[in-house]
């Protein structure tokens, strides 16, 4: 056969073989494809029937050949999870290719698994992967990630996330609510965060995001050492992490360490800090260097891009005051007041109404507040209802234009970062509360609760009902007075009882007489107090309203006042009707007695709360217990105006309107009567619940003007009205001017207002150390005092929630004691001062005075439905000088007097003010801690009448009675211990 034919035959055979092989392969492919399709279809049909056990083998066989099938991996994970095989489910979901359409869903499922094991770090990784996609799973990822950030205290990151995601979220108004909550102190309650983090830490002790959360929580609650330890662990795990860097920067600020702040700012990754944060840091460093000019320049730069920044406005206004530029300061404060009002209205619309019905008003308010994202969302809500609305279209266009122009160029931000990294820091100037003071007795403080052993056996009954009527949770006060003139302080306790109170005789108030031997006897019956008609008590005020030398009592009760005239023989008579104070009086709370018109007798200011119908109450459903009720939000009810009464020869006339006391929406809780602007006339400061505080400046002639906004007392520096309760009044910083400290709601912290002079104040809460230390408390009664007699004022606070919302928030809370330190800060020494401070109470009233005449100030706390507490001061202290004043031309009580003591090279100033604390009355005697000094070299009294008296060489360790115009002081007694 020719070779050509042989070769041709071979080629044909090869071709046939190849064709057969190709056909076989094709057949196998077709067969495999058919098998894969039928296997997949069968598995998915079984999945639809929730036959997970039947679907799992087919999916596993399918994925053995097709490992890139993201949907199959995802479904296999669902099967394994449903069958209780979580490790296999994890492996399946982790096998979904990153570019698969099912990667986001798998990431959400993995995040759920990690969260079930309380592993926050791993959950965050998966959620960040899923949130970049779209769809229902991305919504879940977004919501969960925001929640995680809040648990971990990463509120700025949460806001950034919401800002970038709101357009894809199905419920727009809920985004506005979320952003509003993130701008409030209650973004996430410390107690909730602690519970979640403790649970996660127990389950996953090596999770560094749990560590970060605990670090941020420790900073929020003032435990900076603990925060530092947690952050060190975080930095070892993630040295370059932006969230950790932000926390280190915050801790450096909290520690007031400028070098550490500069170092931390340089290490934070570019983009992790917003432009306003960088500029704020520049202002902070300038303040630390005591460079007010540079600080002012930085604050103006900040306001150029954030005109709504309330803290910047407040601080710049203070700098303008200090520089003597009163007009500019007034302009800044007026702008801040506008923001405060807008924020109050905005928050009320969001939280107390059907917000989506107020889209237009919310949008306009958001623009005033500089909340561009919220404004844009709300204008979108308007367009949803009115698609052609011209105002909404124009507003959105303007917001877009402002957003484009507001972005700072990268080179400017880089320059600012470089500036922060090399800013020189001078030695900080730390104001001393009392120049030359050396005494520091923190290690020797001690209090025992001696109420039971001393005979002060009393328990306030709030009358709590299932309906939870609001007056039940706001009641309770205690007063100190020497009613029988024997030189020993006696105790008056108001009582509540059933609410609303039944008619008839037999009130529950108690008067305890001090025997002078460390014990008290119940003098209720023989003093005539027991004959009072039944009522539901709120507060007690002490003052000699008729100038006869005997301490009288004014009581606030549900719908009534009671005036008890001291007869001077150890008994009281009910003078309410004779004094013109009878009748229905609504809901009064705290009160103050002071000579407000300068005529030599005590006038009366009574704070009132809100309108409440006890017979047909409007009840509030409990937020977590179906069928139960809780005490409602005060803004839901109309405010009840305060009242001012002029004392005309022992009869009181209501002069509220003609005096200029305008209280449209006050909800008064506390009141202090004192000369707050040093003009010789007594002013009135009123703390209000959830609305602006009032400062009624005394113009003379029983005329007042309300100047709270201009004075800096209406709100706090953050730009919000707080739920304010009790008031402490005293010269905390030793500059001779009266400062104020106000207790507020849970998660708001107390507010300390430093007196700048001329009736102007500034919020220095963070400066003195109260911001973090009181955030986790809800305060009521409070008072400045000197527990260790070192000459520096200390601060006592009693705490307790208004609602039992456990475990979300604590209900009963411990009282707190803050010791005045030499660097101008208040240090929480509660845990070092005896077991009495550790007892959780639903505290309300607090009164301060020396009950055993040993020269050490004690404290009484009246809590709801718990025994009265007598914090008996047994500390090792310095010596005290106690001054008892007796007016002649001035009111006998001498309220409004200013006493200056010079001793041992120090100058101490104390004021006798009216009112204070919460529904309670402290001792009217003035206490001067002299430390190691043996005597006061000079004592000067400026009486309310204008008279000035001077005395010399008053011995330490004794009490003196100083009578107006008298040449010599009367030494009443020496203290015994």
């Amino acid at each position: 056969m020719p070779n050509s034919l042989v070769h041709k035959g071979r080629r044909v055979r090869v071709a046939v073989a190849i064709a057969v092989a190709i056909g076989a392969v094709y057949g196998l492919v077709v067969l495999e494809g058919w098998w894969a399709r039928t296997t997949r279809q069968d598995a998915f049909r079984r999945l639809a029937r929730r036959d997970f056990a039947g679907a799992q083998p087919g999916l596993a066989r399918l994925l053995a050949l097709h490992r890139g099938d993201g949907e199959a991996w995802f479904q296999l994970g669902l099967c394994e999870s449903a069958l209780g095989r979580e490790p296999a489910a994890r492996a399946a979901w982790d096998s979904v290719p990153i570019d698969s359409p099912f990667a986001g869903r798998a990431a959400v499922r993995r995040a759920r698994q990690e969260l079930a094991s309380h592993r926050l770090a791993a959950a965050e990784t998966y959620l960040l992967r899923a949130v970049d996609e779209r769809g229902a799973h991305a919504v879940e990822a977004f919501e969960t990630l925001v929640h995680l950030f809040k648990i971990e205290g990463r509120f700025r990151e949460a806001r950034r996330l919401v800002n970038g995601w709101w357009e894809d979220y199905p419920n727009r108004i809920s985004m506005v609510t979320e952003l509003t909550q993130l701008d409030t102190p209650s973004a996430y309650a410390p107690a909730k965060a602690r519970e979640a983090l403790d649970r996660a830490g127990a389950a996953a002790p090596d999770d560094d995001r749990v560590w970060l959360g605990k670090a941020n929580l420790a900073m929020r609650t003032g435990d900076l050492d603990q925060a530092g330890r947690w952050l060190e662990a975080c930095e070892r795990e993630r040295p370059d992490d932006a969230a950790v860097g932000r926390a280190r920067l915050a801790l450096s600020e909290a520690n007031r360490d400028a070098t550490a702040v500069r170092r931390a700012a340089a290490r934070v990754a570019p983009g992790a800090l917003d432009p306003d944060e960088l500029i704020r840091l520049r202002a902070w460093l300038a303040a630390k260097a005591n460079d007010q000019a540079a600080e002012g320049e930085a604050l103006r730069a900040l306001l150029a891009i954030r005109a709504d920044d309330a803290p910047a406005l407040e601080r710049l206004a203070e700098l303008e005051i200090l520089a003597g530029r009163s007009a500019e300061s007034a302009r800044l404060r007026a702008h801040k007041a506008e923001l405060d009002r807008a924020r109050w209205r905005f928050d009320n619309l969001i939280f107390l109404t059907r917000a989506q019905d107020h889209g237009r008003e919310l949008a306009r308010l958001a623009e005033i507040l500089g909340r561009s994202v919220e404004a844009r969302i709300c204008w979108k809500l308007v367009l949803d209802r009115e698609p052609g609305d011209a105002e909404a279209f124009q507003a959105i266009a303007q917001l877009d234009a402002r957003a484009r122009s507001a972005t700072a160029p990268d080179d400017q931000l880089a320059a600012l970062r470089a500036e922060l990294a090399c800013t020189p820091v001078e030695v900080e100037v730390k104001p001393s509360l009392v120049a030359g003071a050396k005494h520091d007795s923190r290690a020797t403080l001690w209090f025992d609760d001696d109420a039971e052993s001393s005979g002060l056996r009393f328990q306030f009954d709030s009358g709590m009902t299932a309906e939870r009527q609001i007056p039940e949770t706001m009641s309770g006060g205690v007063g100190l007075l020497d009613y029988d003139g024997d030189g020993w302080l006696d105790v008056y306790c108001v009582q509540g009882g059933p609410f609303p109170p039944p008619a008839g005789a037999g009130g529950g108030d108690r008067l305890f007489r001090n025997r002078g031997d460390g014990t008290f006897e119940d003098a209720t019956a023989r003093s005539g107090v027991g004959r009072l008609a039944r009522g539901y008590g709120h507060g007690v005020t002490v003052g000699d309203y008729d100038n006869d030398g005997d301490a009288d009592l004014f009581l606030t009760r549900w719908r009534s006042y009671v005036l008890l005239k001291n007869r001077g023989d150890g008994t009281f008579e009910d003078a309410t009707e004779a004094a013109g104070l009878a009748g229905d009086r609504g809901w009064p709370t705290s009160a103050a007695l002071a000579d407000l018109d300068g005529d030599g007798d005590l006038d009366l200011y009574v704070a009132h709360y809100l309108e409440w119908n006890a017979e047909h109450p409007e009840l509030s459903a409990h937020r977590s217990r179906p069928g139960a009720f809780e005490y409602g939000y005060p803004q839901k009810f109309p405010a009840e105006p305060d009242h001012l009464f002029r004392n005309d020869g022992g009869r009181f006339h209501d002069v509220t309107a003609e005096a200029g006391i305008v209280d449209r929406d006050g909800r008064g809780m506390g009141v202090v009567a004192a000369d707050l602007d040093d003009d010789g006339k007594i002013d009135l400061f009123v703390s209000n619940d959830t609305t602006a505080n009032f400062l009624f400046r005394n113009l003379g002639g029983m005329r007042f003007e309300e100047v709270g906004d201009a004075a800096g007392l209406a709100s706090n520096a953050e730009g919000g009205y707080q739920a304010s309760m009790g008031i402490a009044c005293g010269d905390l910083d030793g500059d001779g001017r009266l400062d104020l400290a106000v207790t507020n709601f849970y998660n708001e912290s107390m507010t300390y207002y430093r007196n700048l002079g001329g009736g102007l104040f500034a919020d220095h809460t963070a400066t003195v150390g109260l911001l973090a230390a009181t955030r986790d408390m809800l305060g009521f009664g409070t008072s400045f005092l000197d527990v260790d007699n070192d000459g520096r004022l200390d601060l006592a606070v009693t705490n307790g929630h208004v609602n039992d919302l456990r475990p979300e928030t604590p209900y009963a809370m411990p009282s707190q004691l803050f010791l005045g330190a030499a660097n101008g800060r208040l240090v929480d020494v509660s845990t070092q001062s005896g077991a009495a401070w550790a007892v959780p109470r639903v505290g309300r009233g607090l009164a301060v005075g020396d009950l055993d005449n040993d020269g050490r100030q004690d404290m009484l706390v009246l809590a709801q439905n718990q025994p009265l507490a007598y914090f008996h001061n047994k500390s090792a202290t310095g010596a005290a000088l106690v001054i008892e004043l007796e007016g002649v031309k001035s009111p006998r009580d001498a309220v409004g007097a200013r006493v200056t003591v010079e001793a041992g090279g120090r100058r101490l100033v104390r004021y006798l003010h009216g009112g204070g604390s919460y529904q309670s009355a402290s001792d009217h005697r003035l206490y001067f801690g002299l430390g190691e000094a043996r005597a006061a070299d000079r004592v000067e009294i400026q009486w309310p009448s204008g008279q000035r008296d001077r005395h010399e060489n008053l011995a330490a360790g004794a009490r003196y009675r100083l009578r107006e115009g008298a040449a010599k002081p009367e030494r009443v007694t020496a203290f015994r211990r």
Side-chain angles (χ1 to χ4, degrees):
M1 182 179 293
N3 287 336
S4 60
L5 293 176
V6 172
H7 290 306
K8 184 176 181 180
R10 287 176 179 171
R11 287 196 297 270
V12 170
R13 287 195 298 271
V14 169
V16 170
I18 291 172
V20 170
I22 291 172
V25 169
Y26 178 76
L28 289 173
V29 169
V30 170
L31 181 62
E32 182 183 327
W34 171 82
W35 175 85
R37 285 194 301 275
T38 57
T39 301
R40 183 186 184 89
Q41 290 168 359
D42 178 68
F44 279 32
R45 280 195 297 268
R46 291 176 182 273
L47 282 170
R49 298 196 304 266
R50 303 185 64 81
D51 180 8
F52 299 109
Q56 190 274 343
L59 288 171
R61 288 193 301 270
L62 176 66
L63 287 164
L65 294 175
H66 297 276
R67 299 196 61 82
D69 190 335
E71 183 179 12
W73 280 118
F74 177 72
Q75 299 294 354
L76 178 61
L78 293 181
C79 289
E80 300 289 8
S81 181
L83 294 170
R85 299 194 287 258
E86 291 300 330
R90 286 197 294 272
W93 285 324
D94 281 341
S95 297
V96 176
I98 196 68
D99 58 350
S100 167
F102 289 85
R105 301 184 199 182
V108 168
R109 294 285 178 164
R110 286 291 288 112
R112 289 184 191 175
Q113 287 182 314
E114 298 297 345
L115 287 174
S117 300
H118 304 289
R119 302 194 68 85
L120 308 189
E124 179 182 331
T125 300
Y126 287 110
L127 292 169
L128 286 170
R129 183 185 305 169
V131 82
D132 287 336
E133 301 187 3
R134 294 295 176 263
H137 68 278
V139 172
E140 179 184 345
F142 163 74
E143 292 174 339
T144 308
L145 192 55
V146 169
H147 185 67
L148 272 188
F149 283 164
K150 292 197 290 188
I151 289 175
E152 296 171 17
R154 298 161 63 183
F155 301 116
R156 174 75 72 142
E157 291 175 78
R159 178 172 250 285
R160 277 185 169 188
L161 184 60
V162 176
N163 284 347
W165 226 87
W166 67 267
E167 290 186 89
D168 297 297
Y169 196 76
N171 186 344
R172 283 176 174 162
I173 197 64
S174 68
M175 289 293 89
V176 180
T177 303
E178 185 68 68
L179 288 168
T180 304
Q181 288 176 332
L182 286 169
D183 272 351
T184 65
S186 57
Y188 205 79
K192 288 177 63 178
R194 185 176 295 108
E195 180 186 7
L197 292 168
D198 285 347
R199 187 168 55 246
D206 59 341
D207 192 317
D208 68 314
R209 281 315 196 216
V210 176
W211 305 344
L212 178 59
K214 290 191 172 185
N216 284 326
L217 178 61
M219 275 189 275
R220 290 181 73 197
T221 55
D223 191 348
L224 302 186
D225 291 339
Q226 182 70 9
R229 288 190 288 271
W230 284 118
L231 267 185
E232 288 171 6
C234 292
E235 288 164 336
R236 287 192 294 270
E237 191 72 17
R238 306 192 202 202
D240 299 320
D241 182 71
V244 174
R246 291 178 63 90
R248 172 58 69 184
L249 182 58
L251 180 60
S252 301
E253 285 190 67
N255 278 317
R256 305 192 299 168
D257 187 338
T259 302
V261 165
R262 201 166 57 242
R263 186 166 51 245
R267 291 183 60 186
V268 174
L273 295 177
D274 294 328
D276 63 304
E277 293 180 283
L278 289 168
I279 301 173
R280 190 175 288 109
L281 278 175
R282 187 172 72 180
W284 188 90
L285 286 167
K288 287 292 294 179
N290 204 29
D291 187 344
Q292 294 184 359
E295 183 186 4
E297 180 184 353
L299 291 172
R300 292 184 192 92
L302 176 57
L303 290 170
I305 63 171
R306 284 278 311 268
D308 59 295
D309 193 304
L313 282 167
E314 175 65 17
R315 177 56 180 163
L316 187 57
E318 180 182 357
L319 291 176
E320 298 293 343
I321 291 169
L322 296 176
R325 294 186 286 268
S326 57
E328 177 62 9
S329 172
R331 185 191 69 79
L332 291 167
R333 285 230 163 128
H335 180 38
K336 181 177 178 295
E338 179 189 12
L339 295 177
D340 290 343
R341 289 189 291 270
R343 178 173 178 173
W344 177 83
R345 176 62 178 165
F346 187 92
D347 290 353
N348 282 347
L349 288 174
I350 288 293
F351 297 120
L352 299 180
T353 72
R354 181 179 157 86
Q356 54 266 41
D357 295 338
H358 303 277
R360 191 180 303 275
E361 184 180 2
L362 283 168
R364 292 168 176 168
L365 289 167
E367 290 198 48
I368 292 172
L369 292 168
R371 299 179 181 179
S372 58
V373 173
E374 291 94 317
R376 190 175 280 104
I377 297 173
C378 292
W379 284 123
K380 293 279 189 181
L381 289 173
V382 173
L383 288 175
D384 289 343
R385 293 193 173 195
E386 303 175 52
D389 189 88
E391 183 185 9
F393 275 119
Q394 183 179 4
I396 291 173
Q398 291 174 345
L399 287 167
D400 290 340
R402 283 199 292 268
R404 288 191 296 271
S405 64
T407 303
D410 291 339
D411 58 343
Q412 289 186 22
L413 294 182
L416 183 54
R417 288 175 58 84
E419 177 188 342
L420 287 171
C422 64
T423 299
V425 178
E426 300 175 11
V427 177
E428 180 189 7
V429 179
K430 296 182 178 180
S432 173
L433 288 180
V434 183
K438 298 179 180 179
H439 190 69
D440 186 355
S441 57
R442 271 179 285 181
T444 59
L445 292 176
W446 195 261
F447 292 78
D448 284 324
D449 183 358
D450 285 343
E452 174 66 26
S453 61
S454 67
L456 288 172
R457 301 182 185 94
F458 178 80
Q459 181 162 310
F460 181 84
D461 176 12
S462 72
M464 182 187 293
T465 62
E467 292 178 320
R468 296 297 193 268
Q469 297 206 48
I470 298 180
E472 299 165 5
T473 196
M474 309 305 289
S475 53
V478 61
L480 293 175
L481 72 161
D482 179 8
Y483 85 95
D484 54 1
D486 63 356
W488 296 85
L489 288 176
D490 310 303
V491 178
Y492 192 95
C493 299
V494 302
Q495 183 58 286
F499 187 87
D509 292 6
R510 290 289 178 267
L511 175 63
F512 294 93
R513 179 180 175 273
N514 192 332
R515 292 191 179 106
D517 61 358
T519 66
F520 293 80
E521 61 180 328
D522 191 331
T524 307
R526 73 168 179 264
S527 66
V529 170
R531 293 192 296 273
L532 282 177
R534 182 179 294 275
Y536 186 86
H538 280 280
V540 54
T541 305
V542 176
D544 185 4
Y545 83 96
D546 54 1
N547 276 339
D548 65 355
D550 301 310
D552 308 304
L553 290 164
F554 176 78
L555 312 176
T556 56
R557 289 177 155 193
W558 172 248
R559 308 214 70 84
S560 67
Y561 302 156
V562 176
L563 180 64
L564 294 180
K565 173 180 168 56
N566 191 333
R567 290 193 178 109
D569 60 359
T571 65
F572 291 88
E573 64 176 294
D574 188 343
T576 311
E577 187 168 352
L581 296 172
D584 189 338
R585 294 295 179 175
W587 184 355
T589 55
S590 296
L593 286 160
D595 184 8
L596 300 173
D597 56 0
D599 66 351
D601 56 21
L602 298 180
D603 307 300
L604 174 66
Y605 188 98
V606 187
H608 282 245
Y609 194 40
L610 53 80
E611 295 179 12
W612 182 260
N613 188 330
E615 284 67 41
H616 303 284
E618 181 180 337
L619 305 182
S620 298
H622 198 283
R623 65 196 72 178
S624 60
R625 300 174 194 165
F629 299 100
E630 65 181 53
Y631 298 110
Y633 190 65
Q635 285 292 340
K636 293 169 61 178
F637 307 96
E640 198 170 82
D642 298 350
H643 288 272
L644 174 63
F645 298 90
R646 186 181 63 235
N647 186 346
D648 293 327
R651 188 169 178 84
F652 291 91
H653 293 91
D654 192 328
V655 295
T656 307
E658 55 262 47
I661 303 296
V662 179
D663 176 9
R664 297 186 182 91
D665 200 26
R667 298 174 183 84
M669 288 276 95
V671 57
V672 158
D675 183 5
L676 296 173
D677 55 2
D678 294 318
D679 67 350
K681 296 182 287 291
I682 297 177
D683 311 300
L684 294 161
F685 173 71
V686 182
S687 58
N688 289 314
D689 187 3
T690 72
T691 50
N693 298 326
F694 297 146
L695 175 59
F696 291 109
R697 180 172 177 265
N698 194 333
L699 303 176
M702 207 59 154
R703 290 284 301 168
F704 294 83
E705 65 172 337
E706 204 288 299
V707 294
D709 284 323
L713 292 172
S715 64
N716 66 354
E718 296 299 316
Y721 302 142
Q722 296 173 290
S724 299
M725 311 294 181
I727 309 168
C729 182
D731 179 18
L732 180 65
D733 58 358
D735 64 357
R737 296 188 287 257
L738 281 173
D739 309 303
L740 297 166
V742 180
T743 57
N744 296 303
F745 204 73
Y746 180 73
N747 218 8
E748 287 186 338
S749 86
M750 290 188 72
T751 305
Y752 165 64
Y753 299 100
R754 180 171 181 259
N755 193 332
L756 305 176
L760 300 174
F761 292 77
D763 180 350
H764 278 224
T765 308
T767 305
V768 298
L770 286 178
L771 184 63
T774 60
R775 192 193 303 277
D776 208 8
M777 298 290 175
L778 196 165
F780 275 90
T782 185
S783 180
F784 287 122
L785 70 167
D786 186 354
V787 295
D788 54 358
N789 289 334
D790 67 348
R792 296 190 289 262
L793 284 184
D794 313 307
L795 179 69
V797 189
T798 188
N799 303 298
H801 212 291
V802 297
N803 270 308
D804 187 353
L805 304 175
R806 293 173 289 180
E808 181 178 331
T809 55
Y811 183 42
M813 301 173 176
S815 299
Q816 290 175 288
L817 178 64
F818 296 92
L819 199 70
N823 64 357
R825 290 175 68 83
L826 288 165
V827 180
D828 190 342
V829 294
S830 311
T831 59
Q832 309 166 35
S833 304
W837 296 96
V839 177
R841 299 181 176 87
V842 184
R844 293 297 182 262
L846 179 148
V848 169
D850 182 4
L851 274 74
D852 57 354
N853 279 349
D854 66 353
R856 293 175 289 202
Q857 287 178 283
D858 310 301
M859 187 176 77
L860 291 177
V861 168
L862 185 140
Q864 291 199 330
N865 308 309
Q866 292 173 272
L868 178 72
Y870 169 23
F871 286 66
H872 190 181
N873 190 346
K874 299 177 180 178
S875 307
T877 70
L881 170 67
V882 178
I883 301 296
E884 182 180 323
L885 298 174
E886 182 182 320
V888 177
K889 291 184 291 184
S890 303
R892 185 72 175 256
D893 268 5
V895 173
R898 166 182 167 137
V899 179
T900 304
V901 167
E902 296 178 17
R906 298 181 294 166
R907 186 171 180 269
L908 309 176
V909 180
R910 301 286 183 264
Y911 295 79
L912 182 55
H913 61 263
S917 192
Y918 176 76
Q919 298 183 158
S920 298
S922 293
D923 186 6
H924 275 201
R925 298 174 292 190
L926 298 177
Y927 291 78
F928 296 83
L930 301 187
E932 299 174 0
R934 295 174 176 266
D937 303 316
R938 280 171 293 281
V939 176
E940 178 178 288
I941 309 97
Q942 181 175 324
W943 297 90
S945 66
Q947 166 93 18
R948 288 180 182 267
D949 293 338
R950 293 178 178 83
H951 302 281
E952 296 183 352
N953 297 320
L954 273 64
R959 185 170 90 242
Y960 289 84
R961 181 179 295 115
L962 305 183
R963 192 168 187 267
E964 185 176 11
K968 294 183 179 180
E970 175 188 353
R971 180 164 173 164
V972 178
T973 185
F975 300 128
R976 59 185 188 185
R977 295 189 183 181

